[in-house]
Amino acid sequence: MCPLLAFACAAAAPSADLEKRIVAVAEAVTPSVVHIQAIVKFDDRRNEVTGSGLIVTADGAILTNEHVVDDAEKITVSVPGRKRKYPARLIGLDRQTDIALLRIDPDADHPFTAARLSPDPVHVGQWVLAIGNPYGLDGTVSLGIVSAKGRNLEIPDLLNDFIQTDALIDRGSSGGPLVDLDGRVVGINSRGQGRGIGFTIPIGTAREVMAQLDHGGIERGYLGVSLQALDRDLADYLGLGEATGVLISQVVPKSPAERAGLQTGDILTRFADREVEAEEEEDLGSFQRLVAGSAPGKRVELGYLREGKPGTAKVEIGEQPKLEGEEVETPVGFHVKEITPNLARAHRLTSTTGAFVTFVANGSPASEAGLRMGDVIVRIEAADVASVAEFRSAIADIDMKRRFLVQARRGDELKYLLIKPRAAAPGTEIPDAPKAASQVDSPVQ
């Protein structure tokens, strides 16, 4: 009996120590974890989106997820222990890492409690806490371990090598911290994928993005190729033996890759002094991060195989084009968006000229005229429209009391659409109509 009691006492001691450590860390970090409410406009509706955030400086800088505050018209922040809600300014956001930076102003002589950010990488198997506000339940703490590192989720445009954890990340926890047992933040929680599978942005990535957003925006490198993995079957069919690399499936015209002489079908094997390898689609993220992390203007030597023969190319890294273009709302029931290369690829457009119709309200003048989502507006009355800026200028010159003609490209056809704005009710005086530009929403910056 005595040996059993001794064993039980020895096992209980570490358990009690762990419990005390968890309690201490939760108490220390929770004051830095805020609740975020964002009013987001989607087409012609407004919805409330909630999430979490982390105070990272005493003067009110907050890290959260891009998907929590994207397209937000109004953002408010609730801070633990303080009764009022704080209006937040969106400093910037980055879709490719799912990071956004907000700022709130502290009360006089009452700075905020800032979290400590870890300078060290995490290790698979180490204990971590996820803290956030799932389903609006403030200050929720869950315990787990780091299940894996370097996860690449097959989500378009994401560059992250996520930390995987079994600490619970539920709806509303997005933007909260993942914390080690020393109370240091090791990541910003991004998304959950069922019980026991959550993904977190490494704090090193979040810190780098925050610094760039705080100084005006993100600048990333661009090569101008589409890639696919080179698996063993494909390598064998191409007669490449044990060679590894990534296959170029498309070269963008006038891109840095085309100027350097790269061709569709080339197998990239080296980027500067780094070997390149991707046997699965999820492995492509490593190469994409190499390119994105290179400064525009930098010259890099690439190694490749062309028809089995080795070669090299020196490429000057370009600046990555915008992924998301500016969106403009009109007073006659439709929205248009800038046609970026990304949008053109997604919708298989043959040109980036014009203004892409992203939304048409049912029963609106635009809908009654026959305008459809996916149309590309190329002319309004006598004004050519080659860009969103030209669209904004052309729509601003329209008298919204009168009908006007829009020319839109729909596939291979050109449509002439006559839009008739709503007239005032009979017997009412019609005031001078304001110019449409004054009714066009500017994007949140």
Side-chain angles (χ1 to χ4, degrees):
M1 191 67 161
C2 291
L4 289 175
L5 287 173
F7 177 79
C9 290
S15 176
D17 290 344
L18 176 62
E19 180 181 299
K20 288 178 182 177
R21 177 69 66 88
I22 292 169
V23 170
V25 169
E27 289 177 349
V29 178
T30 298
S32 304
V33 182
V34 301
H35 182 66
I36 295 173
Q37 294 171 289
I39 304 301
V40 175
K41 187 169 184 181
F42 180 74
D43 294 337
D44 59 348
R45 303 187 306 277
R46 286 173 173 80
N47 299 316
E48 183 180 86
V49 176
T50 61
S52 305
L54 179 72
I55 299 174
V56 290
T57 64
D59 62 354
I62 295 172
L63 283 174
T64 187
N65 290 146
E66 181 269 349
H67 74 258
V68 172
V69 295
D70 184 32
D71 290 330
E73 295 184 328
K74 179 182 178 183
I75 305 170
T76 55
V77 171
S78 300
V79 179
R82 306 201 184 189
K83 292 182 179 180
R84 75 180 184 93
K85 292 184 178 181
Y86 294 81
R89 303 185 302 280
L90 177 60
I91 304 302
L93 43 77
D94 179 36
R95 174 158 296 182
Q96 290 182 278
T97 56
D98 196 25
I99 287 291
L101 176 64
L102 310 177
R103 282 196 179 274
I104 56 177
D105 294 325
D107 303 316
D109 302 320
H110 196 183
F112 297 113
T113 301
R116 291 190 299 137
L117 308 185
S118 175
D120 303 320
V122 295
H123 302 285
V124 174
Q126 80 174 75
W127 289 105
V128 284
L129 302 179
I131 305 178
N133 308 301
Y135 306 105
L137 301 172
D138 294 353
T140 299
V141 179
S142 64
L143 174 68
I145 63 168
V146 172
S147 306
K149 295 168 57 177
R151 292 299 196 206
N152 285 294
L153 304 185
E154 293 185 22
I155 298 175
D157 302 328
L158 271 187
L159 291 174
N160 273 9
D161 53 342
F162 284 92
I163 299 167
Q164 182 183 330
T165 179
D166 65 352
L168 296 182
I169 301 174
D170 287 314
R171 183 178 179 182
S173 296
S174 296
L178 193 70
V179 185
D180 66 19
L181 293 191
D182 289 323
R184 304 176 306 174
V185 176
V186 298
I188 301 297
N189 297 324
S190 179
R191 60 198 71 218
Q193 229 167 283
R195 298 286 86 181
I197 301 179
F199 297 99
T200 297
I201 304 154
I203 197 61
T205 299
R207 198 198 301 261
E208 290 172 9
V209 171
M210 178 177 70
Q212 291 191 61
L213 292 176
D214 216 15
H215 290 87
I218 302 294
E219 188 179 72
R220 289 197 171 96
Y222 173 69
L223 191 55
V225 293
S226 296
L227 302 170
Q228 70 180 68
L230 181 69
D231 61 32
R232 290 296 87 209
D233 287 343
L234 185 56
D236 180 65
Y237 177 80
L238 296 173
L240 300 178
E242 296 300 313
T244 60
V246 294
L247 173 64
I248 297 178
S249 57
Q250 181 185 6
V251 177
V252 177
K254 301 180 182 179
S255 66
E258 185 184 68
R259 289 193 290 270
L262 293 175
Q263 299 177 13
T264 299
D266 287 349
I267 309 294
L268 292 178
T269 58
R270 181 171 51 84
F271 184 92
D273 57 352
R274 299 278 297 273
E275 298 298 320
V276 174
E277 180 177 357
E279 291 193 23
E280 304 288 342
E281 290 299 314
E282 69 172 16
D283 299 333
L284 292 173
S286 297
F287 180 78
Q288 292 165 342
R289 287 191 296 274
L290 273 178
V291 175
S294 301
K298 180 180 179 180
R299 291 187 65 81
V300 175
E301 185 176 87
L302 303 179
Y304 64 86
L305 296 172
R306 180 175 297 162
E307 297 179 353
K309 298 177 181 178
T312 60
K314 289 192 175 178
V315 60
E316 182 175 320
I317 300 295
E319 183 174 351
Q320 186 184 79
K322 286 195 296 185
L323 294 178
E324 281 293 308
E326 178 188 357
E327 188 163 9
V328 177
E329 179 181 351
T330 73
V332 286
F334 73 98
H335 303 180
V336 299
K337 201 167 194 175
E338 178 182 357
I339 304 177
T340 62
N342 208 44
L343 186 145
R345 283 194 301 272
H347 294 275
R348 298 183 180 180
L349 303 179
T350 57
S351 170
T352 58
T353 61
F356 185 80
V357 177
T358 57
F359 171 71
V360 180
N362 289 332
S364 66
S367 174
E368 291 174 353
L371 192 67
R372 297 180 189 172
M373 290 175 57
D375 286 351
V376 176
I377 293 175
V378 295
R379 191 176 180 88
I380 297 177
E381 287 289 335
D384 289 330
V385 173
S387 64
V388 159
E390 289 185 3
F391 174 87
R392 189 184 287 275
S393 175
I395 201 74
D397 289 335
I398 295 299
D399 182 346
M400 284 295 155
K401 291 187 295 184
R402 304 178 185 278
R403 59 189 181 175
F404 60 96
L405 188 67
V406 167
Q407 294 178 37
R409 206 167 53 236
R410 184 177 298 164
D412 295 330
E413 298 181 291
L414 185 65
K415 297 290 184 180
Y416 288 76
L417 307 170
L418 189 62
I419 296 180
K420 304 172 184 177
R422 298 270 188 261
T428 21
E429 182 180 349
I430 302 177
D432 289 337
K435 286 203 168 187
S438 65
Q439 304 174 46
V440 174
D441 287 351
S442 294
V444 178
Q445 298 296 329

